Amino acid sequence: IEADCKEREEKIEAEYKKREETIEADCKERDEKIEAEYKKREEKIEADCKEREAKIEAEYKRREEKIKADCKEYKEKFEADCMRREEKIEAGWKKHMKDIQSCHQGVQESLRARLQLQKQRSKFVEARLTMDVLRARGLLSARGIFEHVLALVSAEVRLSKPHAAAAFCGPRGEWDPAHKFDVALAELGNLNPSDQDQGPWTAFLREALRACCRPGSGLCEVAGKAREIRAALAQDAYGYPWLGYEVLLHDHLPDDCRRVLAALCRRLGLYAAASLPVPP
């Protein structure tokens, strides 16, 4: 019995060991399968995660590019709209400024026209007053006009150059009106073009006389021409009469005389009447 028990124990122990080894081998095999399956699933999960991350990143990039494109398009539209509004505002401002300038020009033209009209009226009134004064003094004739202008030249010389008129004063230095024409004729002969003291009537009479002289003539010839005109007007055949508001220029006067007198009449706003056309 003891031998049988020992044999059975050995068999049981061998069977136990065999089963234990079988179980251990099965567990090891299962563990390997489970580990392989775990690794396989982990790799699959990791691959799925990478794929999803790639998809998410691609979708994010696509959306980011779309957002950038939309922002760029919106920015371009906004800039175009701003430029269009600025151009519209600038065009409106230019139109407004043009309207203001046009209105300002219209006002200026209106004021200029009014000033021109007032100036013409003033000239007309001045011419009428001059004619009235000349008629009242008996000077509305060719001789009277010329001597009146010589008197104006003499007055300008007395105001601007007292030393030039002092030679024609009396012993006590008093002014002698009888020498007013001599003062004017002397000033015409001594006139210097660069002299700043010459009066307007002096300059005007000098230019009118110079136009009747030969080109390049000196100042002595200008004064000589003035003396010739005064001598021609001083003849008894001419006299002092006048005709209405017209200065009567007889056709027997020299052409130079009539030309100078016509210029003086135009300066005084008078009309020179003649039986023959006045030389230009």
Side-chain angles (χ1 to χ4, degrees):
I1 292 168
E2 186 177 356
D4 290 336
C5 287
K6 190 176 180 179
E7 183 180 1
R8 284 183 181 180
E9 285 178 359
E10 291 176 354
K11 287 182 179 179
I12 290 169
E13 188 176 358
E15 184 68 24
Y16 177 76
K17 286 182 178 180
K18 183 179 180 182
R19 287 185 179 181
E20 191 177 8
E21 290 176 356
T22 303
I23 291 169
E24 187 176 356
D26 291 340
C27 287
K28 190 176 181 180
E29 184 180 0
R30 286 181 181 178
D31 290 338
E32 290 177 355
K33 287 182 179 179
I34 290 170
E35 188 175 359
E37 184 68 23
Y38 177 77
K39 285 183 179 180
K40 184 178 179 181
R41 289 185 179 181
E42 189 176 3
E43 290 177 355
K44 186 177 180 182
I45 290 170
E46 187 176 358
D48 293 339
C49 289
K50 287 183 179 181
E51 184 178 359
R52 289 183 180 180
E53 287 178 358
K55 288 182 179 180
I56 291 171
E57 188 174 359
E59 183 67 20
Y60 176 77
K61 287 183 178 180
R62 187 179 64 81
R63 291 185 179 182
E64 187 176 5
E65 291 176 356
K66 185 177 180 182
I67 291 171
K68 287 182 179 180
D70 293 340
C71 290
K72 187 176 180 180
E73 184 180 0
Y74 177 76
K75 184 178 180 181
E76 291 177 354
K77 288 183 178 180
F78 180 75
E79 289 179 355
D81 190 23
C82 290
M83 289 180 65
R84 186 171 63 253
R85 290 183 179 180
E86 288 179 358
E87 290 177 355
K88 187 176 180 181
I89 293 172
E90 188 175 0
W93 176 254
K94 286 183 178 179
K95 184 179 179 182
H96 182 63
M97 291 299 295
K98 189 175 181 181
D99 293 339
I100 293 176
Q101 188 176 5
S102 177
C103 182
H104 183 63
Q105 289 179 355
V107 173
Q108 285 185 343
E109 290 178 358
S110 178
L111 291 176
R112 195 180 295 111
R114 290 183 180 180
L115 290 175
Q116 187 68 21
L117 181 59
Q118 291 179 359
K119 189 175 180 180
Q120 291 178 357
R121 290 179 178 176
S122 299
K123 286 184 177 180
F124 177 74
V125 172
E126 184 179 359
R128 291 296 300 270
L129 291 175
T130 303
M131 285 189 293
D132 292 340
V133 171
L134 293 176
R135 287 190 63 188
R137 297 179 59 184
L139 296 176
L140 198 57
S141 66
R143 178 177 176 179
I145 291 298
F146 190 72
E147 291 183 350
H148 176 65
V149 174
L150 288 178
L152 293 176
V153 173
S154 176
E156 290 177 351
V157 174
R158 289 177 59 196
L159 291 175
S160 60
K161 299 179 181 179
H163 61 278
F168 299 92
C169 294
R172 298 181 181 178
E174 68 276 6
W175 170 249
D176 188 0
H179 296 300
K180 57 184 177 181
F181 302 134
D182 297 330
V183 173
L185 294 174
E187 177 65 15
L188 292 174
N190 297 326
L191 188 60
N192 187 359
S194 62
D195 194 352
Q196 300 297 328
D197 295 334
Q198 59 178 339
W201 283 106
T202 307
F204 179 78
L205 184 56
R206 178 180 64 85
E207 293 297 329
L209 292 171
R210 188 182 291 274
C212 299
C213 298
R214 295 174 300 174
S217 300
L219 298 177
C220 293
E221 294 188 13
V222 172
K225 182 63 68 176
R227 289 188 178 90
E228 290 177 5
I229 294 174
R230 185 164 180 250
L233 295 175
Q235 296 177 0
D236 296 336
Y238 192 72
Y240 284 93
W242 65 83
L243 179 62
Y245 291 102
E246 300 173 350
V247 178
L248 184 60
L249 301 180
H250 290 298
D251 53 2
H252 69 272
L253 291 173
D255 291 342
D256 295 342
C257 179
R258 295 169 63 201
R259 188 179 297 112
V260 173
L261 290 170
L264 296 179
C265 290
R266 285 193 295 269
R267 178 65 182 269
L268 292 170
L270 303 174
Y271 177 73
S275 55
L276 293 178
V278 178

